[in-house]
Amino acid sequence: METKKNHTLVVTGASWGDEGKGKIVDLLASGAEIVVRFQGGNNAGHTVVVKGKKYKFHLLPSGAIQNKTIVIGNGLVIDPKVLFEELNMLKKEGFNPNLKISENAHIIFPFHNLIDGLEEEEKGNYAAGTTMRGIGPTYCDKMSRFGIRVYDLLDEKIFRSKFEKIFELKRKMYKTLVNTDKEWDLDKEEIIKRYLDHGNKMKQYVINTAFYLNQAIDEGKVILFEGAQGALLGIDHGMYPFGTSSVTWSGGVCAGTGVGPTRIDKLIGVIKAYTSRVGGGPLPTELNDNIAHQIREQGHEYGTTTGRPRRVGWIDLFSLKYAVMINHYDSLAITLLDALAGVDPVKLCVGYNYNGESLKTWPIQSEIIEKCIPEYIEMPGWKNLPPEEWSRIAKKGYNALPDKIKDYVDKIEEILGTELAIISIGPNRSDTIIKKSIW
Ligand code: IMP
């Protein structure tokens, strides 16, 4: 193994999620001993392809298929059913990751999913188009200090006492939220029994992960922190209210794991050759024509979690510049350049025009963004190639890339002012060019 100069590495998506982080994390995880998630829940969808076989994760860190130690930090919200489904799937496939779960992560209950759907209906135009996994309502309870944490599930007395209160509150909320005569049909005792059972099964994995991770850093262990969603979907710096409820940018690592900012060595952002997003909200570079269809099919742009077709558009370097600014990434990885092949010319959005003026910085406010007209530059596109050809190029390295791709990469580097260290031109782990070593 190469000697590590950096011991803690953070990988986050720089836009609206689905940047191909799963693959990049999987690639970098081979150099790590511990892979950690720090935010979100099973709203995430990470696809990793190894030797032609696809593995899909929603909750567990992608390092799971490398039998690493994997950690679910305190910043997550956990649906225990999904947790055990993924663990069972891994066991069946012959993987045996060493899992640690934070005692302070919050638990998703059936009423969270129910309320997620009802609130979305009430929001009308402001609906984010959530994954309906109960993510927002669970974070909401966390912040209002009504939530139930992993630790609570391990003690029947504590759990019952907290759960009975929250259950009653949610029942009242349900009655005020629902416009129908539908009855609240959740069975309190059944849920208590089921979740105590989950707690019992979880016990073996539960520790103080902040202590564990800080100790691991003291011992010089190599740790990779894996983001879910993307910077522009985050609760603070994303397009509010059309995003998710967790802290998705690199700063979320500290809050979501208990590892301090000075202990983080390197930050990598993942971008893709074009833009995509699922759910509501303005998307200035969105395409709705044949090119959109072509990109969607070539990039398999359908949600890993919901199966929804993703909205696609030209790369939005103006919003990415904002993401690069807040994260202050050391370097970037770009994915899916092969999926943009055959589109000629390609456009790159380098600014937004609002009310006849070019904006200085990306405006977070969705009301402004929806009125912005993207400012584009155009570049020649590159030819489509059969998958084996992309793999052959990846093996040969950066110099073997078609010149037009190199020009595209150079232009992105120039505009974002950050190096593209990893270039991905196919779904497999091996279809990747490391232009500059990350560790
Ligand atoms: P929630 O996270 O389910 O509350 O959904 C809020 C918004 O974030 C919706 O627009 C979702 O489509 C989007 N979202 C959540 N998770 C992901 C993800 O992993 N990739 C892309 N979009 C996501």
Side-chain angles (χ1 to χ4, degrees):
M1 195 165 67
E2 164 193 8
T3 320
K4 305 279 178 279
K5 288 192 292 293
N6 304 293
H7 287 84
T8 50
L9 175 72
V10 178
V11 179
T12 54
S15 37
W16 286 283
D18 309 314
E19 300 91 349
K21 285 182 301 295
K23 175 184 161 167
I24 303 299
V25 168
D26 173 65
L27 186 84
L28 294 171
S30 62
E33 290 155 282
I34 303 171
V35 184
V36 187
R37 266 196 66 182
F38 56 92
Q39 44 75 223
N42 59 307
N43 49 348
H46 291 170
T47 308
V48 183
V49 185
V50 186
K51 292 190 181 132
K53 190 166 168 104
K54 248 188 202 170
Y55 298 93
K56 291 186 178 185
F57 295 92
H58 299 286
L59 181 60
L60 292 175
S62 317
I65 55 167
Q66 297 192 27
N67 291 330
K68 305 280 173 183
T69 296
I70 51 173
V71 177
I72 292 186
N74 57 278
L76 274 89
V77 290
I78 301 177
D79 185 331
K81 183 169 171 277
V82 176
L83 174 78
F84 291 115
E85 276 169 7
E86 292 193 359
L87 278 174
N88 288 339
M89 180 274 283
L90 283 174
K91 274 188 197 144
K92 257 196 214 137
E93 296 284 336
F95 298 109
N96 189 21
N98 177 16
L99 172 66
K100 316 262 180 222
I101 302 176
S102 165
E103 52 196 4
N104 293 340
H106 278 250
I107 300 291
I108 302 177
F109 288 94
F111 44 71
H112 290 125
N113 297 57
L114 197 66
I115 289 169
D116 197 350
L118 295 172
E119 285 183 343
E120 281 282 282
E121 273 174 37
E122 290 293 318
K123 284 177 183 167
N125 287 346
Y126 294 108
T130 74
T131 57
M132 302 285 178
R133 300 299 189 264
I135 306 297
T138 310
Y139 275 114
C140 206
D141 284 346
K142 167 178 172 169
M143 290 311 186
S144 53
R145 286 149 290 127
F146 237 116
I148 290 186
R149 312 215 262 194
V150 169
Y151 178 80
D152 300 322
L153 288 190
L154 308 185
D155 183 308
E156 180 166 358
K157 217 166 132 202
I158 296 176
F159 176 51
R160 263 190 185 278
S161 137
K162 290 189 179 176
F163 187 77
E164 288 188 355
K165 285 208 169 55
I166 190 172
F167 188 83
E168 201 38 45
L169 178 87
K170 296 296 163 183
R171 204 176 56 78
K172 285 184 192 154
M173 257 181 91
Y174 176 81
K175 289 208 161 157
T176 57
L177 266 178
V178 186
N179 266 334
T180 75
D181 302 328
K182 235 169 100 188
E183 275 305 305
W184 165 263
D185 59 2
L186 297 179
D187 178 341
K188 186 172 76 182
E189 284 306 317
E190 186 276 324
I191 299 175
I192 291 181
K193 195 166 160 294
R194 185 151 44 99
Y195 275 72
L196 281 172
D197 188 44
H198 287 320
N200 220 359
K201 283 201 263 166
M202 248 189 231
K203 207 178 243 159
Q204 58 181 309
Y205 307 115
V206 179
I207 58 164
N208 180 328
T209 48
F211 181 73
Y212 171 79
L213 290 171
N214 278 287
Q215 205 170 38
I217 295 172
D218 290 342
E219 288 164 9
K221 294 226 163 88
V222 179
I223 305 178
L224 191 150
F225 296 91
E226 163 182 351
Q229 291 87 43
L232 304 181
L233 272 184
I235 191 71
D236 291 298
H237 299 289
M239 194 197 286
Y240 191 86
F242 300 105
T244 191
S245 304
S246 62
V247 184
T248 53
W249 69 295
S250 311
V253 167
C254 301
T257 64
V259 168
T262 54
R263 308 208 89 178
I264 308 290
D265 294 324
K266 219 158 196 195
L267 307 177
I268 312 296
V270 186
I271 66 173
K272 72 176 164 191
Y274 49 89
T275 297
S276 78
R277 75 172 294 180
V278 281
L283 189 62
T285 65
E286 184 163 16
L287 291 162
N288 286 302
D289 52 11
N290 287 342
I291 301 177
H293 178 74
Q294 184 181 349
I295 296 175
R296 188 174 298 115
E297 294 312 308
Q298 290 182 180
H300 309 290
E301 292 295 347
Y302 293 88
T304 315
T305 303
T306 58
R308 289 180 285 183
R310 295 183 186 134
R311 302 159 68 191
V312 295
W314 301 117
I315 191 165
D316 184 347
L317 294 172
F318 196 52
S319 64
L320 285 173
K321 217 171 165 167
Y322 186 82
V324 165
M325 177 190 77
I326 57 168
N327 283 281
H328 203 74
Y329 291 123
D330 292 289
S331 46
L332 296 168
I334 185 164
T335 65
L336 286 140
L337 281 156
D338 54 311
L340 195 55
V343 177
D344 192 11
V346 288
K347 288 189 182 183
L348 303 85
C349 167
V350 292
Y352 286 3
N353 188 296
Y354 177 62
N355 282 343
E357 275 182 38
S358 292
L359 294 179
K360 282 203 175 61
T361 186
W362 187 70
I364 297 183
Q365 283 68 22
S366 53
E367 290 82 1
I368 296 182
I369 296 177
E370 71 188 1
K371 294 194 189 96
C372 285
I373 301 164
E375 297 165 339
Y376 289 112
I377 55 169
E378 241 177 57
M379 293 184 76
W382 45 95
K383 275 205 308 243
N384 212 344
L385 301 168
E388 321 79 73
E389 186 60 19
W390 288 113
S391 302
R392 201 183 56 78
I393 293 174
K395 268 202 195 85
K396 285 188 167 173
Y398 183 74
N399 287 335
L401 275 175
D403 285 342
K404 285 171 182 161
I405 293 193
K406 283 194 227 154
D407 293 344
Y408 191 69
V409 164
D410 286 350
K411 183 52 82 183
I412 294 171
E413 279 186 345
E414 178 196 318
I415 291 171
L416 296 182
T418 309
E419 185 169 26
L420 289 178
I422 302 178
I423 295 169
S424 166
I425 50 172
N428 281 294
R429 208 185 261 171
S430 53
D431 299 333
T432 318
I433 296 168
I434 311 281
K435 205 171 137 211
K436 189 174 166 211
S437 169
I438 294 291
W439 290 105

